Amino acid sequence: MNVLILGNGGREHAFAYKISQSKKLENLYIAPGNAGTSLCGTNVDISASDFEGIKNFVWKNNIDMVVVGPEDPLVKGIYDFFKNDEVLKDIAIIGPSKAGAQLEGSKDFSKEFMIRHKIPTARYQTFNKDTLQEGLKFLETLSPPYVLKADGLAAGKGVVIPNTLDEAKKELTEMLAHAKFGNASAKVVIEEFLKGIELSVFVLTDGKNYKILPAAKDYKRIGEGDVGLNTGGMGAVSPVPFADADFIKKVEERVAIPTLKGLQQEGIVYKGFIFIGLMNCDGEPQVIEYNCRMGDPETEVVIPRIKTDLLELFEAVATENLHNIKLEVDERIATTVMLVSGGYPEDYEKNKTITGLDKTHDSIIFHAGTKLDGTNVVTNGGRVIAITSFGNSMEEAIGKSMKNAEIISYDKKNYRKDIGQDLMKLEKVKH
Ligand code: AMP
Ligand code: GLY
């Protein structure tokens, strides 16, 4: 099979790494990719959202399957673009239709969808510019902290959680009256604050059948002890110790199955990943959000744990044969630690030479924001390298990632040294 992966992050490197091991693979391309993906296949200088460019490349290179990494092309309708094109319609796309991608593309849509299908989620109301006054009044009926969500895609920054009513009112006004997030905040979802521990469960579906993939927890804040600004994710672990078989069963019965049935009932075509962002509230799952793709850096711990040939799984997604495939998962614990650029998630510099990559051992090094400059690997983004390790215990896995985090070096390198520590403490309390 000839495969094209769209995207340029650690998630896409993890896909490329796994797909390059498939016995079904002939040629692998990544558009645009990074320095790491070029070790698994051929990078192509086309943006993941340049549909015409992708079409030309797919046609000229006899691509059989396109694996879509990020949400942007999905929300813009790459699936429909392919399926409505006489020339492209038979090419497999791993990712939902434009309608399905609304689960991530519109918070309002996804909340309404959850309510329609009785999927547990926080109580909410949606407001726009014309109903700003009602929104301000609604805030008065809630207790702090307040959760305000821009309806559309806002590069991961669209959720604000003010602690006081005054701040919440100011924020709502900024979002609705002053378009703080542009068109993405033309509508704002206000919802109840959920108390609990967050985790993510991933579902791969062919539209009829599904597989529940390993769960993961990511570390969103920049600072150790979960303080400071939100990032794309500073590290991840899988499995999640507090998400035992009982809890995952609840997620399957109360969230995954009703979600898939809901999509079918509404005639929404969905062949790809559903990322379910959850709060574990005293053992009861509540949905925080859906994403229409895999998480990053969650992919860097989930995909290495999957032993089944990834292209076989994807082929089964495309042909609606997922029920005929056995999903095999590595029982060991996987952890990933993200090395980031100094200053991230605010302004940071790029083009710093990365050294020590060849000196690492016992970890898989996934590139996120890197590129080749001649033969040098240099930084090219906020999140630079994800270091994934396996262990029979979390201590063992984290220990390996941390060792290699010291070995890899570049100017102003930053990373969290406490990835997994909270979970290890929880485990100690339990035993
Ligand atoms: P989202 O972009 O929807 O993932 O939201 C960003 C982050 O805000 C989530 O990862 C949670 O940590 C937090 N969050 C979102 N909704 C809620 C909620 N209803 N209660 C508590 N925290 C929330
Ligand atoms: N790590 C969170 C996300 O991919 O959205």
Side-chain angles (χ1 to χ4, degrees):
M1 231 193 286
N2 293 327
V3 178
L4 172 66
I5 300 174
L6 301 182
N8 64 351
R11 167 182 50 212
E12 288 74 21
H13 188 186
F15 281 146
Y17 165 85
K18 199 74 185 178
I19 289 174
S20 70
Q21 297 166 2
S22 169
K23 56 180 190 300
K24 293 189 165 253
L25 182 71
E26 281 170 65
N27 295 296
L28 177 61
Y29 302 94
I30 310 94
N34 60 38
T37 61
S38 69
L39 304 170
C40 310
T42 307
N43 285 352
V44 192
D45 191 15
I46 302 171
S47 143
S49 294
D50 172 5
F51 291 4
E52 285 300 330
I54 294 164
K55 171 177 173 170
N56 279 331
F57 182 84
V58 162
W59 182 238
K60 283 196 187 121
N61 293 277
N62 286 316
I63 298 295
D64 303 295
M65 176 183 287
V66 179
V67 179
V68 188
E71 63 278 15
D72 194 55
L74 293 167
V75 172
K76 289 191 174 128
I78 192 160
Y79 182 94
D80 310 67
F81 176 82
F82 269 70
K83 297 302 159 187
N84 293 332
D85 188 299
E86 264 317 300
V87 172
L88 303 176
K89 67 180 190 321
D90 294 327
I91 292 162
I93 306 288
I94 304 303
S97 65
K98 186 172 184 173
Q102 284 301 297
L103 282 184
E104 174 165 3
S106 166
K107 301 265 187 209
D108 184 40
F109 173 87
S110 76
K111 291 295 286 192
E112 281 185 5
F113 180 90
M114 286 185 251
I115 302 298
R116 275 200 297 280
H117 300 290
K118 303 196 169 48
I119 294 162
T121 190
R123 203 166 58 94
Y124 82 106
Q125 278 192 35
T126 304
F127 300 93
N128 60 34
K129 210 170 163 184
D130 300 329
T131 55
L132 171 59
Q133 292 309 321
E134 289 151 52
L136 296 171
K137 282 213 185 82
F138 181 64
L139 282 172
E140 288 172 5
T141 70
L142 301 174
S143 38
Y146 304 87
V147 182
L148 277 61
K149 300 184 171 185
D151 176 57
L153 291 184
K157 297 199 171 79
V159 176
V160 193
I161 308 188
N163 281 315
T164 67
L165 184 59
D166 268 1
E167 280 174 276
K169 286 184 166 177
K170 221 157 119 197
E171 193 61 48
L172 184 67
T173 310
E174 284 288 308
M175 283 164 110
L176 287 178
H178 306 131
K180 178 171 176 186
F181 298 106
N183 204 29
S185 64
K187 282 197 260 182
V188 173
V189 167
I190 302 180
E191 67 177 37
E192 252 173 358
F193 183 82
L194 296 168
K195 247 199 189 137
I197 320 184
E198 237 177 297
L199 76 154
S200 306
V201 171
F202 303 93
V203 180
L204 180 64
T205 180
D206 61 13
K208 291 185 177 146
N209 313 285
Y210 67 94
K211 299 281 180 210
I212 306 275
L213 306 180
K217 178 181 190 300
D218 94 341
Y219 291 78
K220 286 209 168 74
R221 303 296 192 97
I222 186 69
E224 283 166 21
D226 270 326
V227 297
L229 294 175
N230 257 329
T231 71
M234 297 293 289
V237 301
S238 174
V240 186
F242 63 79
D244 53 16
D246 248 17
F247 181 81
I248 297 294
K249 194 157 170 258
K250 285 183 193 169
V251 175
E252 181 168 8
E253 286 171 355
R254 298 181 196 171
V255 183
I257 294 173
T259 300
L260 294 168
K261 278 203 178 134
L263 290 168
Q264 279 173 18
Q265 274 169 18
E266 297 187 20
I268 295 175
V269 177
Y270 207 115
K271 293 176 179 229
F273 293 99
I274 307 177
F275 167 147
I276 306 170
L278 291 163
M279 198 67 94
N280 176 339
C281 304
D282 286 328
E284 306 303 317
Q286 293 274 344
V287 179
I288 295 176
E289 61 163 351
Y290 291 111
N291 291 315
C292 61
R293 51 167 174 93
M294 278 300 288
D296 192 351
E298 292 92 331
T299 307
E300 289 92 304
V301 287
V302 171
I303 291 295
R305 288 190 64 217
I306 294 178
K307 293 204 237 168
T308 312
D309 185 318
L310 194 56
L311 276 190
E312 255 176 49
L313 269 174
F314 285 168
E315 202 176 29
V317 167
T319 56
E320 297 178 6
N321 267 308
L322 213 40
H323 56 302
N324 291 325
I325 301 255
K326 187 167 172 346
L327 178 71
E328 283 187 79
V329 173
D330 194 323
E331 291 297 315
R332 290 176 299 165
I333 290 168
T335 61
T336 200
V337 172
M338 190 64 85
L339 305 183
V340 304
S341 296
Y344 172 80
E346 295 183 283
D347 289 347
Y348 55 85
E349 290 166 21
K350 292 185 187 176
N351 292 310
K352 311 277 188 193
T353 300
I354 305 172
T355 58
L357 289 167
D358 52 343
K359 307 248 168 5
T360 57
H361 42 83
D362 294 337
S363 293
I364 316 169
I365 307 301
F366 292 124
H367 291 228
T370 72
K371 67 172 185 187
L372 282 173
D373 179 12
T375 55
N376 273 348
V377 179
V378 300
T379 66
N380 188 41
R383 295 190 295 168
V384 178
I385 300 267
I387 306 171
T388 296
S389 315
F390 279 105
N392 292 313
S393 67
M394 194 152 343
E395 280 90 344
E396 185 192 345
I398 277 289
K400 290 177 187 169
S401 289
M402 289 297 163
K403 230 182 228 156
N404 288 318
E406 281 170 35
I407 291 171
I408 299 171
S409 173
Y410 53 86
D411 185 32
K412 300 199 174 71
K413 173 183 78 180
N414 183 28
Y415 62 100
R416 274 180 65 169
K417 298 185 183 66
D418 68 339
I419 304 300
Q421 294 295 337
D422 54 335
L423 299 175
M424 288 188 241
K425 270 189 211 136
L426 266 182
E427 282 294 277
K428 285 206 180 98
V429 170
K430 236 170 66 185
H431 288 134

